[in-house]
Amino acid sequence: MSKYKHILLDLDETLLDFHASEKSCFIALMKSLEITNEQELYEFFSPINKSLWKLLERKLIDKPTLFQTRFSKLLDHAASKEYITNPSGIPSVMEVNNMYFKLMSQSGIPIEGAHDFLHRLQSVDGIDLSAITNGNTITAKGRFASSNLNSRIKRLYISDEVGFDKPDIRFFDYVMKDIGDSNPDNYLVVGDSLTSDIQGANNCGMPCCLFSRTGILPDGYELFRIDQTALDYESIYNIVTNA
């Protein structure tokens, strides 16, 4: 029996292939808006989107600002390049954002091996599985359901519903209270983000495992307490079962 009773698994880039969903939905969005050069625009949009989520983790912006900013910058850039075929047909920035949300909510793409990994974890005596994410409610629930991960995982904690974003300690306090176990040593946080998952575990005193499918530790990793590292699902399984 594992010493961990509750495994908290990050959703994007730990269980779901966020980048695959982001790219396919972005290109579909551009086509629906009659905006050309989708690949070039995706390469413009993706780093902006990522940087804004990092600002959110640091409480430097809120989600409405994130959603407004990413598509304002995109549409301004597309207009400057004359990539917008029908300018009069472009809805408001937040309507564009909501169109993107709808596409993303239907695009839950599991990382290869995720279902088998979760099935094996389910068989470990004495543990339960939960997913944790800073995604918005519509897209997180939709992607979770469309990936069928909801058949493997007991609970999904979404920052919009919790009221706080990872790495805020209040996010993890909410999770512990909802699960009904206030001992942080009984948890293992597994995720790919230093500033969200690992920092959150550090903040609340939970053990943590950094998941890096690339095999490369992210810059600045030495500034965090990282109890375990894993390059694949087999490694995570072994960490849980050998604890």
Side-chain angles (χ1 to χ4, degrees), residues 30-38 41 78-79 81-90:
M30 293 300 97
K31 289 184 181 301
S32 70
L33 294 172
E34 299 182 62
I35 298 177
T36 62
N37 297 77
E38 302 96 331
L41 290 177
K81 294 282 191 175
E82 299 184 350
Y83 292 163
I84 302 178
T85 304
N86 180 21
S88 63
I90 301 297

PDB file of all heavy atoms in Angstrom, residues 30-38 41 78-79 81-90:
ATOM      1  N   MET A  30      -9.430  30.260 -36.713  1.00  0.00           N
ATOM      2  CA  MET A  30      -9.007  31.184 -37.770  1.00  0.00           C
ATOM      3  C   MET A  30      -9.790  30.922 -39.060  1.00  0.00           C
ATOM      4  O   MET A  30     -10.206  31.863 -39.737  1.00  0.00           O
ATOM      5  CB  MET A  30      -7.502  31.040 -38.028  1.00  0.00           C
ATOM      6  CG  MET A  30      -6.603  31.498 -36.871  1.00  0.00           C
ATOM      7  SD  MET A  30      -6.808  33.242 -36.399  1.00  0.00           S
ATOM      8  CE  MET A  30      -7.939  33.089 -35.002  1.00  0.00           C
ATOM      9  N   LYS A  31     -10.000  29.677 -39.378  1.00  0.00           N
ATOM     10  CA  LYS A  31     -10.747  29.349 -40.589  1.00  0.00           C
ATOM     11  C   LYS A  31     -12.187  29.852 -40.491  1.00  0.00           C
ATOM     12  O   LYS A  31     -12.746  30.381 -41.466  1.00  0.00           O
ATOM     13  CB  LYS A  31     -10.716  27.841 -40.839  1.00  0.00           C
ATOM     14  CG  LYS A  31      -9.348  27.325 -41.271  1.00  0.00           C
ATOM     15  CD  LYS A  31      -9.396  25.838 -41.592  1.00  0.00           C
ATOM     16  CE  LYS A  31      -8.030  25.295 -42.011  1.00  0.00           C
ATOM     17  NZ  LYS A  31      -7.469  25.962 -43.199  1.00  0.00           N
ATOM     18  N   SER A  32     -12.792  29.693 -39.313  1.00  0.00           N
ATOM     19  CA  SER A  32     -14.180  30.139 -39.153  1.00  0.00           C
ATOM     20  C   SER A  32     -14.295  31.660 -39.230  1.00  0.00           C
ATOM     21  O   SER A  32     -15.344  32.185 -39.612  1.00  0.00           O
ATOM     22  CB  SER A  32     -14.755  29.626 -37.830  1.00  0.00           C
ATOM     23  OG  SER A  32     -14.155  30.284 -36.724  1.00  0.00           O
ATOM     24  N   LEU A  33     -13.217  32.366 -38.868  1.00  0.00           N
ATOM     25  CA  LEU A  33     -13.204  33.830 -38.929  1.00  0.00           C
ATOM     26  C   LEU A  33     -12.683  34.352 -40.269  1.00  0.00           C
ATOM     27  O   LEU A  33     -12.587  35.566 -40.454  1.00  0.00           O
ATOM     28  CB  LEU A  33     -12.332  34.389 -37.792  1.00  0.00           C
ATOM     29  CG  LEU A  33     -12.835  34.152 -36.367  1.00  0.00           C
ATOM     30  CD1 LEU A  33     -11.775  34.577 -35.360  1.00  0.00           C
ATOM     31  CD2 LEU A  33     -14.142  34.893 -36.119  1.00  0.00           C
ATOM     32  N   GLU A  34     -12.344  33.433 -41.162  1.00  0.00           N
ATOM     33  CA  GLU A  34     -11.795  33.785 -42.477  1.00  0.00           C
ATOM     34  C   GLU A  34     -10.506  34.606 -42.341  1.00  0.00           C
ATOM     35  O   GLU A  34     -10.297  35.610 -43.004  1.00  0.00           O
ATOM     36  CB  GLU A  34     -12.826  34.550 -43.318  1.00  0.00           C
ATOM     37  CG  GLU A  34     -14.091  33.752 -43.603  1.00  0.00           C
ATOM     38  CD  GLU A  34     -15.075  34.527 -44.472  1.00  0.00           C
ATOM     39  OE1 GLU A  34     -14.725  34.864 -45.625  1.00  0.00           O
ATOM     40  OE2 GLU A  34     -16.182  34.806 -43.977  1.00  0.00           O
ATOM     41  N   ILE A  35      -9.646  34.127 -41.455  1.00  0.00           N
ATOM     42  CA  ILE A  35      -8.325  34.732 -41.255  1.00  0.00           C
ATOM     43  C   ILE A  35      -7.286  33.753 -41.800  1.00  0.00           C
ATOM     44  O   ILE A  35      -7.295  32.567 -41.459  1.00  0.00           O
ATOM     45  CB  ILE A  35      -8.057  35.023 -39.763  1.00  0.00           C
ATOM     46  CG1 ILE A  35      -9.092  36.020 -39.233  1.00  0.00           C
ATOM     47  CG2 ILE A  35      -6.651  35.563 -39.550  1.00  0.00           C
ATOM     48  CD1 ILE A  35      -8.973  36.319 -37.744  1.00  0.00           C
ATOM     49  N   THR A  36      -6.407  34.226 -42.643  1.00  0.00           N
ATOM     50  CA  THR A  36      -5.439  33.361 -43.321  1.00  0.00           C
ATOM     51  C   THR A  36      -4.140  33.244 -42.518  1.00  0.00           C
ATOM     52  O   THR A  36      -3.991  33.836 -41.463  1.00  0.00           O
ATOM     53  CB  THR A  36      -5.135  33.912 -44.727  1.00  0.00           C
ATOM     54  OG1 THR A  36      -4.541  35.213 -44.598  1.00  0.00           O
ATOM     55  CG2 THR A  36      -6.405  34.026 -45.562  1.00  0.00           C
ATOM     56  N   ASN A  37      -3.210  32.467 -43.066  1.00  0.00           N
ATOM     57  CA  ASN A  37      -1.887  32.285 -42.459  1.00  0.00           C
ATOM     58  C   ASN A  37      -2.001  31.763 -41.024  1.00  0.00           C
ATOM     59  O   ASN A  37      -1.356  32.272 -40.095  1.00  0.00           O
ATOM     60  CB  ASN A  37      -1.076  33.583 -42.506  1.00  0.00           C
ATOM     61  CG  ASN A  37      -0.779  34.031 -43.925  1.00  0.00           C
ATOM     62  OD1 ASN A  37      -1.659  34.572 -44.600  1.00  0.00           O
ATOM     63  ND2 ASN A  37       0.438  33.798 -44.387  1.00  0.00           N
ATOM     64  N   GLU A  38      -2.793  30.725 -40.876  1.00  0.00           N
ATOM     65  CA  GLU A  38      -3.100  30.211 -39.544  1.00  0.00           C
ATOM     66  C   GLU A  38      -1.857  29.744 -38.789  1.00  0.00           C
ATOM     67  O   GLU A  38      -1.721  29.992 -37.584  1.00  0.00           O
ATOM     68  CB  GLU A  38      -4.089  29.032 -39.643  1.00  0.00           C
ATOM     69  CG  GLU A  38      -5.399  29.355 -40.323  1.00  0.00           C
ATOM     70  CD  GLU A  38      -5.377  28.981 -41.799  1.00  0.00           C
ATOM     71  OE1 GLU A  38      -4.276  29.012 -42.391  1.00  0.00           O
ATOM     72  OE2 GLU A  38      -6.448  28.669 -42.357  1.00  0.00           O
ATOM     73  N   LEU A  41       0.157  32.647 -37.499  1.00  0.00           N
ATOM     74  CA  LEU A  41      -0.542  33.301 -36.398  1.00  0.00           C
ATOM     75  C   LEU A  41      -0.527  32.454 -35.138  1.00  0.00           C
ATOM     76  O   LEU A  41      -0.471  32.987 -34.018  1.00  0.00           O
ATOM     77  CB  LEU A  41      -1.980  33.625 -36.806  1.00  0.00           C
ATOM     78  CG  LEU A  41      -2.129  34.737 -37.849  1.00  0.00           C
ATOM     79  CD1 LEU A  41      -3.595  34.918 -38.227  1.00  0.00           C
ATOM     80  CD2 LEU A  41      -1.559  36.052 -37.328  1.00  0.00           C
ATOM     81  N   ALA A  78      -3.012  40.294 -36.856  1.00  0.00           N
ATOM     82  CA  ALA A  78      -3.572  39.767 -38.110  1.00  0.00           C
ATOM     83  C   ALA A  78      -4.027  40.906 -39.015  1.00  0.00           C
ATOM     84  O   ALA A  78      -3.832  40.853 -40.243  1.00  0.00           O
ATOM     85  CB  ALA A  78      -4.727  38.825 -37.800  1.00  0.00           C
ATOM     86  N   ALA A  79      -4.609  41.938 -38.426  1.00  0.00           N
ATOM     87  CA  ALA A  79      -5.052  43.092 -39.226  1.00  0.00           C
ATOM     88  C   ALA A  79      -3.864  43.828 -39.831  1.00  0.00           C
ATOM     89  O   ALA A  79      -3.907  44.247 -41.008  1.00  0.00           O
ATOM     90  CB  ALA A  79      -5.880  44.040 -38.358  1.00  0.00           C
ATOM     91  N   LYS A  81      -1.132  42.612 -40.727  1.00  0.00           N
ATOM     92  CA  LYS A  81      -0.572  41.783 -41.799  1.00  0.00           C
ATOM     93  C   LYS A  81      -1.549  41.599 -42.965  1.00  0.00           C
ATOM     94  O   LYS A  81      -1.230  40.926 -43.946  1.00  0.00           O
ATOM     95  CB  LYS A  81      -0.196  40.407 -41.228  1.00  0.00           C
ATOM     96  CG  LYS A  81       0.935  40.413 -40.209  1.00  0.00           C
ATOM     97  CD  LYS A  81       2.267  40.537 -40.901  1.00  0.00           C
ATOM     98  CE  LYS A  81       3.419  40.287 -39.949  1.00  0.00           C
ATOM     99  NZ  LYS A  81       4.727  40.294 -40.646  1.00  0.00           N
ATOM    100  N   GLU A  82      -2.735  42.157 -42.800  1.00  0.00           N
ATOM    101  CA  GLU A  82      -3.803  42.022 -43.806  1.00  0.00           C
ATOM    102  C   GLU A  82      -4.187  40.562 -44.033  1.00  0.00           C
ATOM    103  O   GLU A  82      -4.428  40.120 -45.159  1.00  0.00           O
ATOM    104  CB  GLU A  82      -3.397  42.700 -45.121  1.00  0.00           C
ATOM    105  CG  GLU A  82      -3.141  44.199 -44.954  1.00  0.00           C
ATOM    106  CD  GLU A  82      -2.833  44.902 -46.259  1.00  0.00           C
ATOM    107  OE1 GLU A  82      -2.622  44.224 -47.274  1.00  0.00           O
ATOM    108  OE2 GLU A  82      -2.823  46.155 -46.260  1.00  0.00           O
ATOM    109  N   TYR A  83      -4.265  39.818 -42.945  1.00  0.00           N
ATOM    110  CA  TYR A  83      -4.648  38.416 -43.004  1.00  0.00           C
ATOM    111  C   TYR A  83      -6.152  38.222 -42.802  1.00  0.00           C
ATOM    112  O   TYR A  83      -6.649  37.103 -42.941  1.00  0.00           O
ATOM    113  CB  TYR A  83      -3.918  37.610 -41.936  1.00  0.00           C
ATOM    114  CG  TYR A  83      -2.419  37.483 -42.139  1.00  0.00           C
ATOM    115  CD1 TYR A  83      -1.592  37.098 -41.085  1.00  0.00           C
ATOM    116  CD2 TYR A  83      -1.826  37.716 -43.384  1.00  0.00           C
ATOM    117  CE1 TYR A  83      -0.222  36.958 -41.254  1.00  0.00           C
ATOM    118  CE2 TYR A  83      -0.459  37.587 -43.572  1.00  0.00           C
ATOM    119  CZ  TYR A  83       0.335  37.207 -42.492  1.00  0.00           C
ATOM    120  OH  TYR A  83       1.696  37.077 -42.660  1.00  0.00           O
ATOM    121  N   ILE A  84      -6.861  39.296 -42.436  1.00  0.00           N
ATOM    122  CA  ILE A  84      -8.291  39.174 -42.173  1.00  0.00           C
ATOM    123  C   ILE A  84      -9.047  39.418 -43.481  1.00  0.00           C
ATOM    124  O   ILE A  84      -9.096  40.536 -43.997  1.00  0.00           O
ATOM    125  CB  ILE A  84      -8.743  40.164 -41.081  1.00  0.00           C
ATOM    126  CG1 ILE A  84      -7.965  39.918 -39.786  1.00  0.00           C
ATOM    127  CG2 ILE A  84     -10.245  40.034 -40.841  1.00  0.00           C
ATOM    128  CD1 ILE A  84      -8.304  40.882 -38.653  1.00  0.00           C
ATOM    129  N   THR A  85      -9.631  38.368 -44.012  1.00  0.00           N
ATOM    130  CA  THR A  85     -10.301  38.436 -45.309  1.00  0.00           C
ATOM    131  C   THR A  85     -11.571  39.279 -45.254  1.00  0.00           C
ATOM    132  O   THR A  85     -11.881  40.026 -46.196  1.00  0.00           O
ATOM    133  CB  THR A  85     -10.655  37.008 -45.779  1.00  0.00           C
ATOM    134  OG1 THR A  85      -9.467  36.214 -45.798  1.00  0.00           O
ATOM    135  CG2 THR A  85     -11.275  37.024 -47.167  1.00  0.00           C
ATOM    136  N   ASN A  86     -12.305  39.163 -44.151  1.00  0.00           N
ATOM    137  CA  ASN A  86     -13.587  39.857 -44.021  1.00  0.00           C
ATOM    138  C   ASN A  86     -13.625  40.621 -42.696  1.00  0.00           C
ATOM    139  O   ASN A  86     -14.236  40.164 -41.723  1.00  0.00           O
ATOM    140  CB  ASN A  86     -14.733  38.846 -44.097  1.00  0.00           C
ATOM    141  CG  ASN A  86     -16.104  39.506 -43.978  1.00  0.00           C
ATOM    142  OD1 ASN A  86     -16.253  40.702 -44.229  1.00  0.00           O
ATOM    143  ND2 ASN A  86     -17.103  38.717 -43.598  1.00  0.00           N
ATOM    144  N   PRO A  87     -12.993  41.799 -42.621  1.00  0.00           N
ATOM    145  CA  PRO A  87     -12.918  42.547 -41.359  1.00  0.00           C
ATOM    146  C   PRO A  87     -14.279  42.842 -40.731  1.00  0.00           C
ATOM    147  O   PRO A  87     -14.409  42.823 -39.498  1.00  0.00           O
ATOM    148  CB  PRO A  87     -12.204  43.839 -41.761  1.00  0.00           C
ATOM    149  CG  PRO A  87     -11.425  43.481 -42.983  1.00  0.00           C
ATOM    150  CD  PRO A  87     -12.264  42.472 -43.712  1.00  0.00           C
ATOM    151  N   SER A  88     -15.285  43.095 -41.536  1.00  0.00           N
ATOM    152  CA  SER A  88     -16.599  43.418 -40.992  1.00  0.00           C
ATOM    153  C   SER A  88     -17.260  42.211 -40.327  1.00  0.00           C
ATOM    154  O   SER A  88     -18.225  42.360 -39.565  1.00  0.00           O
ATOM    155  CB  SER A  88     -17.514  43.961 -42.081  1.00  0.00           C
ATOM    156  OG  SER A  88     -17.746  42.973 -43.076  1.00  0.00           O
ATOM    157  N   GLY A  89     -16.743  41.026 -40.614  1.00  0.00           N
ATOM    158  CA  GLY A  89     -17.331  39.811 -40.052  1.00  0.00           C
ATOM    159  C   GLY A  89     -16.681  39.366 -38.753  1.00  0.00           C
ATOM    160  O   GLY A  89     -17.076  38.335 -38.188  1.00  0.00           O
ATOM    161  N   ILE A  90     -15.698  40.111 -38.259  1.00  0.00           N
ATOM    162  CA  ILE A  90     -15.020  39.737 -37.027  1.00  0.00           C
ATOM    163  C   ILE A  90     -15.845  40.210 -35.825  1.00  0.00           C
ATOM    164  O   ILE A  90     -16.115  41.401 -35.690  1.00  0.00           O
ATOM    165  CB  ILE A  90     -13.603  40.350 -36.949  1.00  0.00           C
ATOM    166  CG1 ILE A  90     -12.753  39.890 -38.133  1.00  0.00           C
ATOM    167  CG2 ILE A  90     -12.932  39.981 -35.635  1.00  0.00           C
ATOM    168  CD1 ILE A  90     -12.499  38.397 -38.188  1.00  0.00           C
TER     169      ILE A  90
END
